[in-house]
Amino acid sequence: MNGARDDVGARDSGLVAELRAARRRFSVEFSPAHDEATAARQWRAVQRLAPLRPVLASVTYGAGGGDRAGSVELATRLARETTLRPLAHLTAVGQSAAQLADVLDDLVAGGVRDVLALRGDPDGDPHAPWEPHPQGLEHADQLVRLARERGVRAVGVAAFPAGHPDSPDPDTDLRHLLGKFAAGAGFAIAQLTFDVEDFLRLRDRLAAAGCDAPVLPGLLPVTSPRVLEVTRRLTDGHEPSWLHRRLDPFLDDRGAFREEGMRVALEDGRRLLAEGVEVLHLYSLNAASNVEALVAELGLGAPGG
C-alpha cells in the first residue's frame, strides 16, 4: 500500500502536496444556487471568503446529478473569475460512463482540474438499494480511474468515520476506502464530523494500514433548526443524540441557538486541531459569516491571508 501511495503522491504534485504541507488551513464547500437571490448571496460569500485563502473550494453535485449543469457552471466560474481552487464533486448516479466522461471533459476544459469522485446515493431515496446505470459505473474507484483518464490532476474521495451505510463492518468499509486510494485518489473528505473520536479512529486505522493520504474532517456549525435538518441529510439521519440535547433547549431562541451551535463547532474544531488535524473542511451553506467566524476563532488561513 505504501508503494501505491507514493505513486499517487508523485502524480498529485499540486493539491495533494498542498494538503500535505498545510498547517492550520481550511477548505470550504458551496452548492449550486437554484434562484437568483441565492446565487447573489453565494457570490458575495465567495468574494468574502476568497481573501482568507482556503486550500480548496468544493462544489457539490446534487442527488442523482440533479445539479450537474449548475455544478459545472459554478466550478468553472470559480476557476475563471477567482483565486480559489475549485474541487468539483461528481457522482456516478444515473449517468453512463460516457456521460461522466463528458462532464469531466467540460470541467477540465473550463479550468477545473481537481475532482471529488463519489458513487453517490440513489436518486430520490438515499436509503434505496444501489443500482448502477446500465452503461455506468458501480463503484467510486471506477470513477477515480475515469477521472484520471480524462486529465484530472487530483482526485479526492469520500470517507465515512462512522462507516458507510452499505458496509457490513468497519473492516469492509476500510477496505473500500483503501481501494479508492489504490485506484488513484490522493485525499479524502470525511462525512460531516460530529463525533471526533470516530474521525480519529478512522485516521488511526488508515495509518495502521500504511496509508498516509490526507483526510479532511467536515465541520458544519448548526446555527438554526433549519441547519439541524441539513445535518440529518448529510449524516443519513444519524446525527448524534447529544447534539439534540445541546441544541433543543434553544429552539425558541434564535440567538441562543446560534451561539450554542457555534460553540459546538468550535469545540470540535479545537479538538481536531489539537489532535494534529491540519485542514478542516467547512460547509458554508452558501453564506460567509459562520465560516469567517470559525476561521478567525480557530486561527485558520494561509500565512499572509
Side-chain angles (χ1 to χ4, degrees), residues 237-249:
H238 295 113
E239 73 279 9
S241 58
W242 64 258
L243 183 64
H244 287 275
R245 290 196 296 272
R246 289 279 299 264
L247 296 175
D248 284 355

PDB file of all heavy atoms in Angstrom, residues 237-249:
ATOM      1  N   GLY A 237     -29.344  10.773   8.490  1.00  0.00           N
ATOM      2  CA  GLY A 237     -30.282  10.672   9.599  1.00  0.00           C
ATOM      3  C   GLY A 237     -29.670  10.169  10.889  1.00  0.00           C
ATOM      4  O   GLY A 237     -30.388   9.811  11.827  1.00  0.00           O
ATOM      5  N   HIS A 238     -28.335  10.168  10.968  1.00  0.00           N
ATOM      6  CA  HIS A 238     -27.671   9.625  12.145  1.00  0.00           C
ATOM      7  C   HIS A 238     -26.888  10.690  12.908  1.00  0.00           C
ATOM      8  O   HIS A 238     -25.824  10.414  13.444  1.00  0.00           O
ATOM      9  CB  HIS A 238     -26.736   8.475  11.734  1.00  0.00           C
ATOM     10  CG  HIS A 238     -27.464   7.301  11.170  1.00  0.00           C
ATOM     11  ND1 HIS A 238     -27.349   6.917   9.855  1.00  0.00           N
ATOM     12  CD2 HIS A 238     -28.343   6.448  11.748  1.00  0.00           C
ATOM     13  CE1 HIS A 238     -28.112   5.851   9.641  1.00  0.00           C
ATOM     14  NE2 HIS A 238     -28.728   5.562  10.762  1.00  0.00           N
ATOM     15  N   GLU A 239     -27.412  11.894  12.943  1.00  0.00           N
ATOM     16  CA  GLU A 239     -26.750  12.902  13.752  1.00  0.00           C
ATOM     17  C   GLU A 239     -26.857  12.475  15.221  1.00  0.00           C
ATOM     18  O   GLU A 239     -27.842  11.863  15.638  1.00  0.00           O
ATOM     19  CB  GLU A 239     -27.358  14.293  13.527  1.00  0.00           C
ATOM     20  CG  GLU A 239     -28.730  14.522  14.125  1.00  0.00           C
ATOM     21  CD  GLU A 239     -29.839  13.962  13.251  1.00  0.00           C
ATOM     22  OE1 GLU A 239     -29.571  13.249  12.279  1.00  0.00           O
ATOM     23  OE2 GLU A 239     -31.003  14.238  13.576  1.00  0.00           O
ATOM     24  N   PRO A 240     -25.834  12.743  16.022  1.00  0.00           N
ATOM     25  CA  PRO A 240     -25.788  12.194  17.389  1.00  0.00           C
ATOM     26  C   PRO A 240     -26.865  12.775  18.293  1.00  0.00           C
ATOM     27  O   PRO A 240     -27.242  13.948  18.181  1.00  0.00           O
ATOM     28  CB  PRO A 240     -24.386  12.574  17.869  1.00  0.00           C
ATOM     29  CG  PRO A 240     -23.996  13.744  17.025  1.00  0.00           C
ATOM     30  CD  PRO A 240     -24.640  13.540  15.686  1.00  0.00           C
ATOM     31  N   SER A 241     -27.320  11.948  19.226  1.00  0.00           N
ATOM     32  CA  SER A 241     -28.369  12.384  20.160  1.00  0.00           C
ATOM     33  C   SER A 241     -27.871  13.510  21.048  1.00  0.00           C
ATOM     34  O   SER A 241     -28.658  14.386  21.446  1.00  0.00           O
ATOM     35  CB  SER A 241     -28.846  11.203  21.001  1.00  0.00           C
ATOM     36  OG  SER A 241     -27.762  10.625  21.711  1.00  0.00           O
ATOM     37  N   TRP A 242     -26.568  13.511  21.370  1.00  0.00           N
ATOM     38  CA  TRP A 242     -26.063  14.563  22.243  1.00  0.00           C
ATOM     39  C   TRP A 242     -26.195  15.942  21.610  1.00  0.00           C
ATOM     40  O   TRP A 242     -26.319  16.947  22.310  1.00  0.00           O
ATOM     41  CB  TRP A 242     -24.617  14.303  22.658  1.00  0.00           C
ATOM     42  CG  TRP A 242     -23.605  14.316  21.558  1.00  0.00           C
ATOM     43  CD1 TRP A 242     -23.034  13.251  20.952  1.00  0.00           C
ATOM     44  CD2 TRP A 242     -23.012  15.477  20.943  1.00  0.00           C
ATOM     45  NE1 TRP A 242     -22.137  13.650  19.980  1.00  0.00           N
ATOM     46  CE2 TRP A 242     -22.102  15.011  19.958  1.00  0.00           C
ATOM     47  CE3 TRP A 242     -23.167  16.844  21.119  1.00  0.00           C
ATOM     48  CZ2 TRP A 242     -21.367  15.874  19.158  1.00  0.00           C
ATOM     49  CZ3 TRP A 242     -22.428  17.715  20.323  1.00  0.00           C
ATOM     50  CH2 TRP A 242     -21.542  17.231  19.356  1.00  0.00           C
ATOM     51  N   LEU A 243     -26.153  15.986  20.262  1.00  0.00           N
ATOM     52  CA  LEU A 243     -26.306  17.274  19.594  1.00  0.00           C
ATOM     53  C   LEU A 243     -27.691  17.848  19.859  1.00  0.00           C
ATOM     54  O   LEU A 243     -27.839  19.057  20.118  1.00  0.00           O
ATOM     55  CB  LEU A 243     -26.068  17.109  18.093  1.00  0.00           C
ATOM     56  CG  LEU A 243     -26.123  18.390  17.256  1.00  0.00           C
ATOM     57  CD1 LEU A 243     -25.017  19.352  17.657  1.00  0.00           C
ATOM     58  CD2 LEU A 243     -26.017  18.055  15.767  1.00  0.00           C
ATOM     59  N   HIS A 244     -28.704  17.009  19.820  1.00  0.00           N
ATOM     60  CA  HIS A 244     -30.058  17.474  20.129  1.00  0.00           C
ATOM     61  C   HIS A 244     -30.159  17.912  21.591  1.00  0.00           C
ATOM     62  O   HIS A 244     -30.833  18.906  21.896  1.00  0.00           O
ATOM     63  CB  HIS A 244     -31.070  16.373  19.822  1.00  0.00           C
ATOM     64  CG  HIS A 244     -31.296  16.158  18.359  1.00  0.00           C
ATOM     65  ND1 HIS A 244     -32.191  16.910  17.634  1.00  0.00           N
ATOM     66  CD2 HIS A 244     -30.710  15.306  17.474  1.00  0.00           C
ATOM     67  CE1 HIS A 244     -32.168  16.516  16.368  1.00  0.00           C
ATOM     68  NE2 HIS A 244     -31.284  15.549  16.249  1.00  0.00           N
ATOM     69  N   ARG A 245     -29.508  17.199  22.474  1.00  0.00           N
ATOM     70  CA  ARG A 245     -29.549  17.600  23.887  1.00  0.00           C
ATOM     71  C   ARG A 245     -28.911  18.963  24.094  1.00  0.00           C
ATOM     72  O   ARG A 245     -29.351  19.737  24.952  1.00  0.00           O
ATOM     73  CB  ARG A 245     -28.851  16.548  24.751  1.00  0.00           C
ATOM     74  CG  ARG A 245     -29.602  15.232  24.853  1.00  0.00           C
ATOM     75  CD  ARG A 245     -29.087  14.386  26.004  1.00  0.00           C
ATOM     76  NE  ARG A 245     -27.700  13.976  25.820  1.00  0.00           N
ATOM     77  CZ  ARG A 245     -27.320  12.880  25.182  1.00  0.00           C
ATOM     78  NH1 ARG A 245     -28.231  12.078  24.635  1.00  0.00           N
ATOM     79  NH2 ARG A 245     -26.039  12.567  25.080  1.00  0.00           N
ATOM     80  N   ARG A 246     -27.908  19.274  23.287  1.00  0.00           N
ATOM     81  CA  ARG A 246     -27.264  20.588  23.402  1.00  0.00           C
ATOM     82  C   ARG A 246     -28.126  21.694  22.814  1.00  0.00           C
ATOM     83  O   ARG A 246     -28.155  22.818  23.339  1.00  0.00           O
ATOM     84  CB  ARG A 246     -25.908  20.558  22.670  1.00  0.00           C
ATOM     85  CG  ARG A 246     -24.815  19.743  23.313  1.00  0.00           C
ATOM     86  CD  ARG A 246     -24.118  20.475  24.449  1.00  0.00           C
ATOM     87  NE  ARG A 246     -23.458  21.696  24.050  1.00  0.00           N
ATOM     88  CZ  ARG A 246     -22.156  21.795  23.749  1.00  0.00           C
ATOM     89  NH1 ARG A 246     -21.388  20.707  23.770  1.00  0.00           N
ATOM     90  NH2 ARG A 246     -21.615  22.961  23.451  1.00  0.00           N
ATOM     91  N   LEU A 247     -28.822  21.395  21.703  1.00  0.00           N
ATOM     92  CA  LEU A 247     -29.494  22.452  20.947  1.00  0.00           C
ATOM     93  C   LEU A 247     -30.983  22.584  21.221  1.00  0.00           C
ATOM     94  O   LEU A 247     -31.536  23.687  21.124  1.00  0.00           O
ATOM     95  CB  LEU A 247     -29.261  22.226  19.450  1.00  0.00           C
ATOM     96  CG  LEU A 247     -27.816  22.317  18.974  1.00  0.00           C
ATOM     97  CD1 LEU A 247     -27.720  21.960  17.499  1.00  0.00           C
ATOM     98  CD2 LEU A 247     -27.246  23.706  19.223  1.00  0.00           C
ATOM     99  N   ASP A 248     -31.650  21.490  21.526  1.00  0.00           N
ATOM    100  CA  ASP A 248     -33.109  21.534  21.680  1.00  0.00           C
ATOM    101  C   ASP A 248     -33.596  22.548  22.712  1.00  0.00           C
ATOM    102  O   ASP A 248     -34.665  23.162  22.519  1.00  0.00           O
ATOM    103  CB  ASP A 248     -33.652  20.144  22.016  1.00  0.00           C
ATOM    104  CG  ASP A 248     -33.677  19.233  20.787  1.00  0.00           C
ATOM    105  OD1 ASP A 248     -33.369  19.725  19.687  1.00  0.00           O
ATOM    106  OD2 ASP A 248     -33.985  18.036  20.948  1.00  0.00           O
ATOM    107  N   PRO A 249     -32.865  22.782  23.817  1.00  0.00           N
ATOM    108  CA  PRO A 249     -33.350  23.788  24.779  1.00  0.00           C
ATOM    109  C   PRO A 249     -33.446  25.202  24.208  1.00  0.00           C
ATOM    110  O   PRO A 249     -34.088  26.071  24.813  1.00  0.00           O
ATOM    111  CB  PRO A 249     -32.303  23.724  25.901  1.00  0.00           C
ATOM    112  CG  PRO A 249     -31.731  22.353  25.810  1.00  0.00           C
ATOM    113  CD  PRO A 249     -31.691  22.058  24.338  1.00  0.00           C
TER     114      PRO A 249
END
